[in-house]
Amino acid sequence: MARRYEITLMLLLYIIGIRLYTLLIRIFSLFDPKAKLFINGRKNIYTQIAQKINPSEKHIWFHFASLGEFEQGRPVLEKLKSLYPAKKIVVTFFSPSGYEIRKNYALADVFYLPIDTAANAKRFITSINPEMAIFTKYEFWHFYFKELKDRGIPLYVISGIFRESQAFFKWYGGFYRNILKSVTYFFVQNEESKNLLKSIGLNNVTINGDTRFDRVYENAQSPKQLSLIESFIGNSPTLVCGSTWPEDEKILSALPEKYPSWKFIIAPHEIHESHIESIGKQFPVGSVRFSVLNSSNQTPNAEHQTLIVDNIGMLSSLYQYGNVAYIGGGFGTGIHNTLEAAAFGLPVIFGPKYDKFQEAKDLIAIGAAKSISTVEELIGAFEDFARNEDAAAQAKRYVTDKKGATDQIISMITKSDQP
């Protein structure tokens, strides 16, 4: 009785939390562009779906929190599509940063995920008629998961990763554990995740690794060639700085003057005008925007030492031109994708907040990555990797050895529930 009361109370709090979150986003949408996209993208969502989706046809539903999770789950999506080309696929995003970049993705119909309410879950799942649902890494929505379970629709979590600090594994986590019980099968990245799920009675789990390795490996085999970047770097060694934030850029600004023979490419996480202007001010000597060179058909000259990439979508191809990579986010909530750089054989440097990223720990352990907190540590790591060819080889080997999760997942999904 007490446990049932606890779960009912948590459900009530969950519903209140969802409503408060939606209200806050609406308020923020009055002055925040991302929040505005979040709200406007969900307006008339069912009209959008009805214009593209025939509810009498079965679909495979992939959900991604944002762009990073899309790239992580993309190998599974594309492998399924290649095996079953007649199957129709629906992709949903929670975040505008995923939807806005991939809304025209050729292999699927792409939508925002309606807010998690009982009514939305019933209507949305009826509208897209999924024969299976595949969620990548995380995002566990109570009403969507319950509706899938009630209808007997298989639900898979791929590249899942769990930590002991999560609510699922706390004494008060009964409500959250119930959400996980709706999952048909978990494909997790590591032993810790498997053991944590088993500790709460969930044995429908195997360790298959991270599908990101498959994605970044494929990308490194045939990257897009960028002639302007080739002209910019010439024969100079290059540091590629990916997904940087202001805290990263502040510390990186110490490098160009100290290493005049190097080229520096900065691809920030946010590309709004004020941020791009800020980067230009921190790198005042020899810096130029990609858009300026590209629009005017200028040829980069010897004085151009730092290239500021003021667009989205190039980063995964930029790493092919680097010798060392710096990955942003480590002075904030956590580092961004280190594997894209490692796949090209670049040793990586990042800030101190990387504890939630197994690949970062692994790369440090094999000497292919370093975490820094100060300018002095950055310089030390940069100089070490600039002359350490073995670190580059170790980074590339790490990615190559870890690929293969996609084929394992596809084999199990198609065996248990033929699409």
Side-chain angles (χ1 to χ4, degrees), residues 62-74 76 134-140 145 155-163 166 168 180 183 185-190 193 197 209-212 334-339 354 356-359 409:
F62 280 83
H63 174 70
F64 307 104
S66 191
L67 183 62
E69 289 71 36
F70 172 82
E71 293 300 331
Q72 190 168 29
R74 185 173 178 174
V76 176
I134 300 172
F135 279 51
T136 299
K137 192 174 181 179
Y138 53 63
E139 284 216 349
F140 304 96
F145 279 31
L155 166 61
Y156 303 104
V157 172
I158 63 173
S159 295
I161 190 159
F162 295 89
R163 299 180 303 278
Q166 292 173 303
F168 309 116
L180 296 185
V183 176
Y185 210 86
F186 296 91
F187 300 93
V188 299
Q189 295 186 30
N190 56 26
S193 297
L197 290 173
D210 189 343
T211 52
R212 283 183 304 164
I335 59 173
H336 293 285
N337 192 340
T338 58
L339 295 180
Y354 65 90
K356 294 180 180 179
F357 302 87
Q358 184 62 47
E359 66 276 11
I409 291 168

Side-chain angles (χ1 to χ4, degrees), residues 16-307:
I16 293 172
I18 291 289
R19 290 181 177 177
L20 283 175
Y21 180 84
T22 306
L23 175 61
L24 287 173
I25 290 292
R26 289 187 180 280
I27 294 171
F28 276 106
S29 70
L30 299 175
F31 52 86
D32 182 87
K34 275 193 173 181
K36 188 174 183 179
L37 288 171
F38 183 98
I39 295 298
N40 289 345
R42 289 170 167 82
K43 286 181 178 178
N44 304 314
I45 185 67
Y46 293 106
T47 301
Q48 297 175 38
I49 294 171
Q51 290 171 347
K52 294 183 177 182
I53 301 296
N54 180 351
S56 66
E57 295 179 327
K58 288 288 186 181
H59 295 79
I60 300 175
W61 173 27
F62 280 83
H63 174 70
F64 307 104
S66 191
L67 183 62
E69 289 71 36
F70 172 82
E71 293 300 331
Q72 190 168 29
R74 185 173 178 174
V76 176
L77 187 159
E78 294 185 348
K79 187 64 177 288
L80 272 175
K81 186 65 175 177
S82 69
L83 291 172
Y84 307 98
K87 287 293 180 183
K88 296 180 181 295
I89 296 176
V90 169
V91 163
T92 55
F93 286 100
F94 183 75
S95 165
S97 61
Y99 175 83
E100 294 300 324
I101 292 174
R102 295 301 179 196
K103 59 187 175 183
N104 296 317
Y105 181 54
L107 299 186
D109 292 305
V110 184
F111 306 98
Y112 278 101
L113 182 70
I115 296 297
D116 187 35
T117 66
N120 275 337
K122 290 180 183 297
R123 188 175 182 184
F124 178 80
I125 290 173
T126 297
S127 298
I128 68 167
N129 191 16
E131 60 183 285
M132 68 169 67
I134 300 172
F135 279 51
T136 299
K137 192 174 181 179
Y138 53 63
E139 284 216 349
F140 304 96
W141 298 112
H142 168 77
F143 290 109
Y144 282 109
F145 279 31
K146 182 178 184 299
E147 191 67 23
L148 288 168
K149 183 179 180 181
D150 289 348
R151 298 190 188 204
I153 299 169
L155 166 61
Y156 303 104
V157 172
I158 63 173
S159 295
I161 190 159
F162 295 89
R163 299 180 303 278
E164 192 174 0
S165 60
Q166 292 173 303
F168 309 116
F169 313 108
K170 300 297 184 182
W171 63 266
Y172 55 81
F175 169 75
Y176 300 100
R177 287 190 284 275
N178 270 358
I179 296 177
L180 296 185
K181 289 177 182 177
S182 295
V183 176
T184 305
Y185 210 86
F186 296 91
F187 300 93
V188 299
Q189 295 186 30
N190 56 26
E191 189 76 30
E192 179 187 8
S193 297
K194 179 180 178 180
N195 291 338
L196 283 169
L197 290 173
K198 283 180 173 288
S199 74
I200 57 173
L202 296 173
N203 297 304
N204 50 335
V205 52
T206 55
I207 302 170
N208 302 89
D210 189 343
T211 52
R212 283 183 304 164
F213 287 95
D214 299 314
R215 176 61 186 159
V216 299
Y217 178 83
E218 290 170 5
N219 178 64
Q221 301 313 298
S222 54
K224 182 180 179 181
Q225 301 302 301
L226 304 169
S227 58
L228 191 150
I229 302 298
E230 293 172 2
S231 298
F232 169 74
I233 64 174
N235 295 318
S236 300
T238 303
L239 174 70
V240 179
C241 307
S243 299
T244 60
W245 292 83
E247 296 87 347
D248 301 299
E249 292 139 16
K250 182 178 179 181
I251 199 170
L252 287 165
S253 65
L255 295 181
E257 185 176 0
K258 188 173 177 62
Y259 303 98
S261 65
W262 278 70
K263 297 286 188 175
F264 297 86
I265 299 176
I266 301 176
H269 188 71
E270 299 282 356
I271 60 167
H272 52 78
E273 181 61 23
S274 61
H275 188 197
I276 298 298
E277 286 183 359
S278 173
I279 298 172
K281 290 176 181 177
Q282 291 184 80
F283 296 81
V285 180
S287 67
V288 62
R289 296 189 188 193
F290 178 88
S291 62
V292 171
L293 293 179
N294 195 43
S295 63
S296 59
N297 292 317
Q298 291 185 35
T299 300
N301 58 54
E303 295 180 359
H304 291 145
Q305 187 186 12
T306 301
L307 181 67

Side-chain angles (χ1 to χ4, degrees), residues 282-396:
Q282 291 184 80
F283 296 81
V285 180
S287 67
V288 62
R289 296 189 188 193
F290 178 88
S291 62
V292 171
L293 293 179
N294 195 43
S295 63
S296 59
N297 292 317
Q298 291 185 35
T299 300
N301 58 54
E303 295 180 359
H304 291 145
Q305 187 186 12
T306 301
L307 181 67
I308 303 169
V309 179
D310 50 353
N311 63 62
I312 296 295
M314 285 177 56
L315 182 56
S316 62
S317 297
L318 289 175
Y319 289 120
Q320 68 183 298
Y321 300 107
N323 299 85
V324 181
Y326 179 95
I327 308 301
F331 289 92
T333 57
I335 59 173
H336 293 285
N337 192 340
T338 58
L339 295 180
E340 284 184 333
F344 285 103
L346 272 64
V348 294
I349 304 169
F350 41 76
K353 295 184 180 178
Y354 65 90
D355 58 297
K356 294 180 180 179
F357 302 87
Q358 184 62 47
E359 66 276 11
K361 298 176 185 178
D362 292 344
L363 287 167
I364 288 175
I366 63 174
K370 292 180 184 291
S371 173
I372 57 94
S373 297
T374 66
V375 170
E376 291 73 24
E377 290 176 352
L378 171 63
I379 291 172
F382 176 74
E383 291 185 346
D384 184 22
F385 284 149
R387 58 176 180 264
N388 187 347
E389 294 183 3
D390 184 60
Q394 290 281 20
K396 192 169 187 176

